[in-house]
Coordinates of all heavy atoms in Angstrom, one line a residue:
L197 N 26.8 8.2 -0.1 CA 28.2 8.4 -0.1 C 28.7 9.6 -0.8 O 29.8 10.2 -0.4 CB 28.9 7.1 -0.7 CG 28.7 5.8 0.1 CD1 29.3 4.7 -0.6 CD2 29.3 6.0 1.5
S198 N 27.9 10.1 -1.8 CA 28.3 11.4 -2.4 C 28.0 12.6 -1.6 O 28.4 13.7 -1.9 CB 27.6 11.5 -3.8 OG 26.2 11.7 -3.6
R199 N 27.3 12.3 -0.5 CA 26.9 13.4 0.5 C 27.3 13.0 1.9 O 26.5 13.2 2.8 CB 25.4 13.7 0.4 CG 25.0 14.3 -1.0 CD 23.5 14.2 -1.2 NE 23.1 14.8 -2.5 CZ 23.3 14.3 -3.7 NH1 23.9 13.1 -3.8 NH2 22.9 15.0 -4.8
R200 N 28.5 12.6 2.0 CA 29.0 12.0 3.3 C 28.9 13.1 4.4 O 28.5 12.8 5.5 CB 30.4 11.5 3.2 CG 30.5 10.2 2.4 CD 31.9 9.6 2.4 NE 32.9 10.5 1.7 CZ 33.1 10.5 0.4 NH1 32.5 9.6 -0.3 NH2 34.0 11.3 -0.1
A201 N 29.3 14.3 4.1 CA 29.3 15.3 5.2 C 27.9 15.6 5.7 O 27.6 15.7 6.9 CB 29.9 16.6 4.6
S202 N 26.9 15.6 4.7 CA 25.5 15.8 5.1 C 25.0 14.7 6.0 O 24.3 14.8 6.9 CB 24.7 16.0 3.9 OG 25.0 17.2 3.2
A203 N 25.4 13.4 5.6 CA 25.0 12.3 6.3 C 25.5 12.3 7.7 O 24.8 11.9 8.7 CB 25.5 11.0 5.6
V204 N 26.8 12.7 7.9 CA 27.4 12.8 9.2 C 26.7 13.8 10.1 O 26.4 13.6 11.3 CB 28.9 13.1 9.1 CG1 29.5 13.4 10.5 CG2 29.7 12.0 8.5
R205 N 26.4 15.0 9.5 CA 25.6 16.0 10.2 C 24.2 15.5 10.7 O 23.8 15.8 11.8 CB 25.5 17.3 9.4 CG 26.7 18.1 9.3 CD 26.4 19.5 8.7 NE 25.8 19.4 7.4 CZ 26.6 19.5 6.3 NH1 27.9 19.5 6.3 NH2 26.0 19.4 5.1
M206 N 23.6 14.7 9.8 CA 22.3 14.2 10.1 C 22.3 13.2 11.3 O 21.5 13.2 12.2 CB 21.6 13.6 8.9 CG 20.2 13.1 9.1 SD 19.3 12.7 7.6 CE 19.1 14.3 6.8
V207 N 23.3 12.4 11.2 CA 23.5 11.4 12.3 C 23.7 12.2 13.7 O 23.1 11.8 14.7 CB 24.7 10.5 12.1 CG1 25.0 9.6 13.3 CG2 24.3 9.6 10.9
R208 N 24.6 13.2 13.6 CA 24.9 13.9 14.9 C 23.6 14.6 15.4 O 23.4 14.7 16.6 CB 26.0 15.0 14.6 CG 27.3 14.3 14.4 CD 28.4 15.4 14.0 NE 29.7 14.8 13.9 CZ 30.8 15.4 13.4 NH1 30.6 16.7 12.9 NH2 31.9 14.8 13.3
R209 N 22.8 15.2 14.5 CA 21.7 16.0 14.9 C 20.5 15.1 15.3 O 19.6 15.4 16.1 CB 21.3 17.0 13.9 CG 22.3 18.1 13.6 CD 21.9 18.9 12.4 NE 23.0 19.9 12.2 CZ 22.9 20.8 11.1 NH1 21.9 20.7 10.2 NH2 23.9 21.6 10.9
H210 N 20.3 14.0 14.5 CA 19.1 13.2 14.6 C 19.3 11.8 14.9 O 18.5 10.9 14.4 CB 18.3 13.4 13.3 CG 18.0 14.8 13.0 ND1 17.1 15.6 13.7 CD2 18.4 15.6 12.0 CE1 17.1 16.8 13.2 NE2 17.8 16.9 12.1
W211 N 20.4 11.4 15.6 CA 20.7 10.0 15.8 C 19.6 9.3 16.5 O 19.3 8.1 16.3 CB 22.0 9.9 16.5 CG 22.0 10.4 17.9 CD1 22.4 11.7 18.3 CD2 21.7 9.7 19.1 NE1 22.3 11.8 19.7 CE2 21.8 10.6 20.2 CE3 21.3 8.4 19.4 CZ2 21.6 10.2 21.5 CZ3 21.0 8.0 20.7 CH2 21.2 8.9 21.8
R212 N 18.9 10.0 17.4 CA 17.8 9.3 18.1 C 16.7 8.9 17.2 O 16.1 7.8 17.2 CB 17.2 10.2 19.2 CG 18.1 10.5 20.4 CD 17.5 11.3 21.5 NE 18.3 11.6 22.6 CZ 19.2 12.6 22.6 NH1 19.3 13.4 21.6 NH2 20.0 12.8 23.7
A213 N 16.3 9.8 16.3 CA 15.3 9.5 15.3 C 15.7 8.4 14.4 O 14.9 7.5 14.0 CB 14.9 10.8 14.5
V214 N 17.0 8.4 14.0 CA 17.5 7.3 13.1 C 17.3 6.0 13.8 O 16.9 5.0 13.2 CB 19.0 7.6 12.7 CG1 19.5 6.3 12.0 CG2 19.1 8.8 11.8
C215 N 17.7 5.9 15.1 CA 17.6 4.7 15.9 C 16.1 4.3 16.0 O 15.8 3.1 15.9 CB 18.2 4.8 17.2 SG 20.0 5.0 17.2
V216 N 15.2 5.2 16.3 CA 13.8 4.9 16.5 C 13.2 4.3 15.2 O 12.6 3.2 15.2 CB 13.0 6.1 16.9 CG1 11.5 5.9 16.8 CG2 13.4 6.5 18.4
V217 N 13.5 5.0 14.1 CA 12.9 4.5 12.8 C 13.6 3.2 12.4 O 12.9 2.3 11.9 CB 13.1 5.6 11.7 CG1 12.5 5.0 10.4 CG2 12.3 6.8 12.1
G218 N 14.9 3.1 12.5 CA 15.7 1.9 12.1 C 15.2 0.7 12.9 O 15.4 -0.4 12.3
V219 N 14.8 0.8 14.1 CA 14.3 -0.3 14.9 C 12.8 -0.6 14.8 O 12.4 -1.7 14.5 CB 14.7 -0.1 16.4 CG1 14.1 -1.2 17.2 CG2 16.2 -0.1 16.5
L220 N 12.0 0.5 15.0 CA 10.6 0.3 15.0 C 10.0 0.1 13.6 O 8.9 -0.7 13.5 CB 9.9 1.6 15.6 CG 10.1 1.8 17.1 CD1 9.3 2.9 17.6 CD2 9.9 0.5 17.9
S221 N 10.5 0.6 12.6 CA 10.0 0.4 11.2 C 10.0 -1.1 10.8 O 8.9 -1.7 10.5 CB 10.7 1.2 10.2 OG 10.2 1.0 8.9
P222 N 11.1 -1.8 10.9 CA 11.1 -3.2 10.6 C 10.3 -4.0 11.6 O 9.6 -5.0 11.2 CB 12.6 -3.6 10.5 CG 13.3 -2.6 11.3 CD 12.5 -1.3 11.1
L223 N 10.3 -3.6 12.9 CA 9.6 -4.4 13.9 C 8.1 -4.3 13.6 O 7.4 -5.3 13.6 CB 9.9 -3.8 15.3 CG 9.0 -4.3 16.4 CD1 9.2 -5.8 16.6 CD2 9.3 -3.6 17.7
A224 N 7.6 -3.1 13.3 CA 6.2 -2.9 13.0 C 5.8 -3.8 11.8 O 4.7 -4.5 11.8 CB 5.9 -1.5 12.7
Y225 N 6.6 -3.8 10.8 CA 6.2 -4.5 9.5 C 6.3 -6.0 9.7 O 5.5 -6.7 9.1 CB 6.9 -4.0 8.3 CG 6.3 -4.3 7.0 CD1 5.0 -4.0 6.8 CD2 7.0 -5.1 6.1 CE1 4.3 -4.4 5.6 CE2 6.4 -5.5 4.9 CZ 5.0 -5.1 4.7 OH 4.4 -5.5 3.5
V226 N 7.3 -6.5 10.4 CA 7.4 -7.9 10.5 C 6.3 -8.5 11.3 O 5.8 -9.6 11.1 CB 8.8 -8.3 11.1 CG1 8.8 -8.1 12.6 CG2 9.2 -9.7 10.8
L227 N 5.8 -7.7 12.3 CA 4.6 -8.1 13.0 C 3.4 -8.2 12.1 O 2.6 -9.2 12.1 CB 4.3 -7.1 14.1 CG 5.3 -7.1 15.3 CD1 4.9 -6.0 16.3 CD2 5.3 -8.4 16.0
V228 N 3.2 -7.3 11.1 CA 2.2 -7.3 10.2 C 2.3 -8.5 9.2 O 1.3 -9.2 8.9 CB 2.1 -6.0 9.4 CG1 1.2 -6.1 8.2 CG2 1.7 -4.8 10.3
L229 N 3.5 -8.8 8.8 CA 3.8 -9.9 7.9 C 3.4 -11.2 8.6 O 2.8 -12.1 7.9 CB 5.3 -9.9 7.5 CG 5.7 -8.8 6.5 CD1 7.2 -8.9 6.3 CD2 5.0 -8.9 5.2
F230 N 3.7 -11.4 9.9 CA 3.3 -12.6 10.6 C 1.8 -12.6 10.6 O 1.2 -13.7 10.5 CB 3.9 -12.6 12.0 CG 5.3 -13.2 12.0 CD1 6.4 -12.4 12.4 CD2 5.5 -14.5 11.8 CE1 7.6 -12.9 12.4 CE2 6.8 -15.0 11.8 CZ 7.9 -14.2 12.1
A231 N 1.1 -11.5 10.8 CA -0.3 -11.4 10.9 C -0.9 -11.9 9.5 O -2.0 -12.5 9.5 CB -0.8 -10.1 11.2
M232 N -0.2 -11.5 8.4 CA -0.7 -11.9 7.1 C -0.7 -13.4 6.9 O -1.4 -14.0 6.0 CB 0.1 -11.2 6.0 CG -0.2 -9.8 5.9 SD 0.8 -9.1 4.5 CE 0.4 -7.3 4.6

Side-chain angles (χ1 to χ4, degrees):
L197 293 176
S198 68
R199 293 162 175 79
R200 288 187 294 273
S202 297
V204 170
R205 284 195 299 270
M206 185 168 291
V207 170
R208 289 174 177 171
R209 294 174 183 173
H210 304 293
W211 65 269
R212 291 182 181 86
V214 171
C215 291
V216 168
V217 178
V219 172
L220 290 188
S221 177
L223 172 62
Y225 196 56
V226 79
L227 292 173
V228 170
L229 290 173
F230 275 114
M232 286 182 185

